[in-house]
Amino acid sequence: MALGLTGYVVLAIILLTVAAFFMARSRAKSTAGGDIRLLHSLPNYYGYNAAMFAAVPAFGVLMIWLLAQPMIIENSVFKLIPERIVSEGSSRGLVMSDVRRVAEGLDIAVAQGALTDDEADNIRTEFKDVRSILGSVGVALGSNVEPEVLYAAQQYRAKSETGTFWMSVAVVALAALGAALAIFVTNADFRARNTVERGALALLILAASLAILTTVGIVLSMLFESINFFRLHPWTDFFFGGSWAPNFRGDSDLSILPLLWGTLYISVIALLVAVPIGLFAAIYLSEYAGPKTRSAAKPLLEILAGIPTIVYGLFALLTVGPALVSIFGRGEAGLLGVDWMSGATAVLTAGLVMGIMLIPFVSSLSDDIINAVPQSMRDGSFGLGATHSETIRQVVLPAALPGIVGAVLLAASRAIGETMIVVLGAGAIAKFSLNPLEAMTTITTRIVSQLTGDTDFASPETLVAFALGLTLFVLTLGLNVLALYIVRKYREQYE
Amino acid sequence: MNDMRILERDVDTNTIKIAARGVQVYYGDNHAIKDVDVDIQDKTVTAFIGPSGCGKSTFLRCLNRMNDTIDVCRVEGDIHIDGEDIYDKRVDPVQLRAKVGMVFQKPNPFPKSIYDNVAYGPRIHGLAKNKAELDEIVENALRRAAIWSEVKDRLTAPGTGLSGGQQQRLCIARAVATEPEVLLMDEPCSALDPIATAQVEELIDELRQNYSVVIVTHSMQQAARVSQKTAFFHLGNLVEYGETGNIFTNPEDPRTESYITGRIG
């Protein structure tokens, strides 16, 4: 595909940056009379400085412009659409997306030669079948194009074109200006090294703040959607109601409690599996295994952590579930001759498999923590005539306990947030039950099912997913903070 | 009898508690202890001195088989305690360590209460029939380690909360509580200040009445102050062993003299 105007702008900035680098470097050398010992910084620093001034502001403005332009243009085009077009049951947002689609279609048609640039600007629905022209280049439209929509789309294109043109001018000018300024200040006394240092610092701060801002953004978006949900649905039902029965015709029971029950029940079973096995594995690896066994067994155990959770889900559905059914189900044909379990999906299935998934998590963290217990503790215990297992039980584990609790809490927060295993292994029935052989459902499973399929983002049945997600987030965040606090407190004890 | 012990005097008894013959220790390919013969007497403080890496701590750890916990370590030769070969296959190293207590360089109280730290040994060896007896054992051990008056009001407080000197005395109390016959001390004062060191040294002198004490130390003054017999190790060899007074005033081997006067080490 040929480069768009924006592509050429990026190319121009890069060229300007490279040119600025070399020009600043050679200017620095020449102001020092060829003796680079007279320069404040190494010549390359002058180059980096100029390159930085050329590229950073230009790319910054480019990015902001690219983000802001569609919003501004959409706002102005918006006013062109008369009330009549916004028909019953539809909204301005939908009409706007039609406008965008027609505008894109016109672009593609021009690119493929189905229309000339001039035709695209002046075409009228009265004279030509715009829908079939756009259809011929691969842009299918749901209905015939209204003249107003077409006009809005043409306006949209025209404004975009002007905007992009001015953006190119501004950005390239900015790059040139920055480069010129940096080259102008370059002389033997200019402290380019310090400027580059500040640039490096700014880059690192930017990376750190992007990560944090993204988190804040995610939380805020969840928060706003949750607020929307609570406008449509009573919060008392969400937090204190007793049943989960979404109904897409409206009037649903949307209570988190049955889901929370399923989530916690499955997580508890998973931890009952993962904590003893993981902890014992960690004790063996860190206390008894020789260096050879350890170096072989530890990576093998950690392979478990690399298996995608969807694979665990399949394992639950196809292997563990049927195996459990053959033990607890099938009446006389089963191993126990009972008929307690009807389907492969059950709390126990999901819990067992999730427990297996968490084993490496618990063992790897506990192993690190047990290794951090100073050898002098073990020596002290051995020196008093304690056996190895007495030493572990009475000295090593109590010393490592806070860290192990932290590891278990981290594992718990993974279990609560786990999705694929429960989607495949736990079933879809929301209920309060103590029977681990019954199918139950979890918060994550319901989020998936509320948001898949044909959804309308204005109904409480869909928006409840955000409230569920937010609750889940708060829950796991709390567990993580608690776990990290405990682990950190423990670390301080020995350092 | 070893000819290095001719000059002995001022020792309470002549009973030999530990007899080592031809002891060799290897760490992998590294020959750490070379053919050491030594007789350690009962109710005596024996000091092992020598420059860092000379093998004195390694030899000490042979005496209660603590080297068994190090995979690459291999011990050859005979070590007899009360005439019994401690490296015999029938000897349980766990039982041996109950008989030969050890105090380490760095105070290493367990992350438990002061009481539980001292009661640890008696509990695992079943030395007390009931709670009252255990209380008595703990109190006696703490009294003998000269720390009872400082901790008697806070026996339930964690042992790690004590000061360095108190922690080391707690560790000594912990070792004493299992009623060992030999007490091995691996540089017990290296992490302590002079006041705590003086307290521990006083304690060592008192412990001599009941135990055979073997102490590894880097401080020659300390060896001179607390011990009756001194052994000088150099590069894995036992260079000289004898009466402490003689070793420090009239060493036979030129290497001993060089070390004591500060020329090597």
Side-chain angles (χ1 to χ4, degrees), chain A residues 217-265:
Chain A
I218 291 172
V219 174
L220 285 183
S221 75
M222 300 252 281
L223 200 63
F224 288 132
E225 297 292 350
S226 301
I227 290 170
N228 282 341
F229 167 70
F230 287 122
R231 280 206 193 105
L232 299 168
H233 196 85
W235 65 274
T236 44
D237 179 53
F238 180 73
F239 285 113
F240 305 113
S243 81
W244 172 267
N247 180 349
F248 277 92
R249 286 178 307 255
D251 195 25
S252 319
D253 286 340
L254 300 170
S255 165
I256 193 174
L257 289 181
L259 308 183
L260 195 62
W261 168 250
T263 304
L264 294 180
Y265 198 0

Side-chain angles (χ1 to χ4, degrees), chain B residues 76-131:
Chain B
E76 288 172 10
D78 293 324
I79 300 175
H80 289 259
I81 293 184
D82 289 335
E84 193 188 4
D85 182 3
I86 62 166
Y87 279 88
D88 193 279
K89 283 204 168 51
R90 284 167 303 178
V91 170
D92 177 7
V94 170
Q95 286 299 318
L96 173 75
R97 289 184 204 129
K99 209 164 96 175
V100 184
M102 190 159 190
V103 175
F104 296 85
Q105 184 172 357
K106 231 181 101 194
N108 57 349
F110 302 137
K112 296 168 179 286
S113 72
I114 292 170
Y115 183 93
D116 287 339
N117 260 284
V118 181
Y120 183 79
R123 272 186 184 140
I124 55 176
H125 297 297
L127 298 183
K129 280 204 279 296
N130 50 42
K131 177 82 171 87

Side-chain angles (χ1 to χ4, degrees), chain A residues 164-432:
Chain A
T164 309
F165 172 74
W166 283 112
M167 175 193 76
S168 311
V169 172
V171 167
V172 174
L174 197 60
L177 195 72
L181 188 72
I183 293 165
F184 176 73
V185 298
T186 297
N187 62 46
D189 292 330
F190 180 65
R191 298 180 180 182
R193 207 178 164 196
N194 304 19
T195 328
V196 172
E197 191 63 33
R198 278 198 291 277
L201 178 66
L203 181 73
L204 299 179
I205 291 176
L206 181 75
S209 40
L210 267 183
I212 294 168
L213 285 178
T214 316
T215 318
V216 172
I218 291 172
V219 174
L220 285 183
S221 75
M222 300 252 281
L223 200 63
F224 288 132
E225 297 292 350
S226 301
I227 290 170
N228 282 341
F229 167 70
F230 287 122
R231 280 206 193 105
L232 299 168
H233 196 85
W235 65 274
T236 44
D237 179 53
F238 180 73
F239 285 113
F240 305 113
S243 81
W244 172 267
N247 180 349
F248 277 92
R249 286 178 307 255
D251 195 25
S252 319
D253 286 340
L254 300 170
S255 165
I256 193 174
L257 289 181
L259 308 183
L260 195 62
W261 168 250
T263 304
L264 294 180
Y265 198 0
I266 290 172
S267 303
V268 164
I269 290 179
L271 290 178
L272 285 179
V273 173
V275 170
I277 297 178
L279 193 55
F280 290 169
I283 290 172
Y284 171 73
L285 284 180
S286 60
E287 293 285 327
Y288 290 94
K292 267 189 190 160
T293 326
R294 191 180 149 85
S295 66
K298 216 180 169 198
L300 276 178
L301 196 61
E302 278 162 8
I303 285 178
L304 277 180
I307 298 175
T309 54
I310 184 79
V311 177
Y312 278 110
L314 290 175
F315 178 60
L317 192 63
L318 300 177
T319 313
V320 176
L324 287 174
V325 171
S326 73
I327 296 173
F328 295 108
R330 290 196 198 146
E332 293 301 311
L335 262 179
L336 297 179
V338 291
D339 199 5
W340 295 339
M341 195 169 168
S342 50
T345 54
V347 169
L348 193 60
T349 313
L352 281 179
V353 174
M354 201 192 281
I356 295 168
M357 181 196 82
L358 292 177
I359 288 172
F361 203 72
V362 174
S363 78
S364 169
L365 279 171
S366 310
D367 183 59
D368 290 346
I369 289 154
I370 290 172
N371 274 328
V373 174
Q375 181 60 31
S376 67
M377 295 267 171
R378 295 183 187 93
D379 283 348
S381 176
F382 290 143
L384 290 170
T387 63
H388 208 147
S389 73
E390 284 167 346
T391 302
I392 291 165
R393 213 170 51 237
Q394 303 201 22
V395 176
V396 176
L397 286 186
L401 192 64
I404 291 170
V405 170
V408 170
L409 287 180
L410 283 178
S413 86
R414 284 267 325 245
I416 289 173
E418 171 50 40
T419 310
M420 287 328 295
I421 293 175
V422 288
V423 164
L424 291 177
I429 305 156
K431 65 178 160 200
F432 294 101

Side-chain angles (χ1 to χ4, degrees), chain B residues 1-9 241-242 246 252:
Chain B
M1 207 181 243
N2 194 318
D3 56 11
M4 283 177 181
R5 292 170 60 248
I6 292 168
L7 293 164
E8 76 184 30
R9 58 162 187 258
Y241 175 52
N246 277 331
E252 287 182 357

Side-chain angles (χ1 to χ4, degrees), chain A residues 40-102:
Chain A
H40 171 268
S41 317
L42 289 172
N44 272 353
Y45 277 113
Y46 294 94
Y48 292 139
N49 180 49
M52 208 164 75
F53 271 87
V56 173
F59 274 122
V61 169
L62 178 67
M63 219 170 296
I64 293 169
W65 198 304
L66 283 177
L67 289 176
Q69 180 177 301
M71 283 191 244
I72 295 168
I73 292 178
E74 251 171 57
N75 265 337
S76 67
V77 170
F78 209 59
K79 293 169 196 136
L80 298 174
I81 301 172
E83 276 307 320
R84 187 181 59 77
I85 303 287
V86 186
S87 53
E88 195 69 25
S90 176
S91 69
R92 278 185 181 269
L94 287 177
V95 176
M96 261 327 283
S97 73
D98 266 357
V99 170
R100 268 199 302 275
R101 205 163 159 73
V102 172

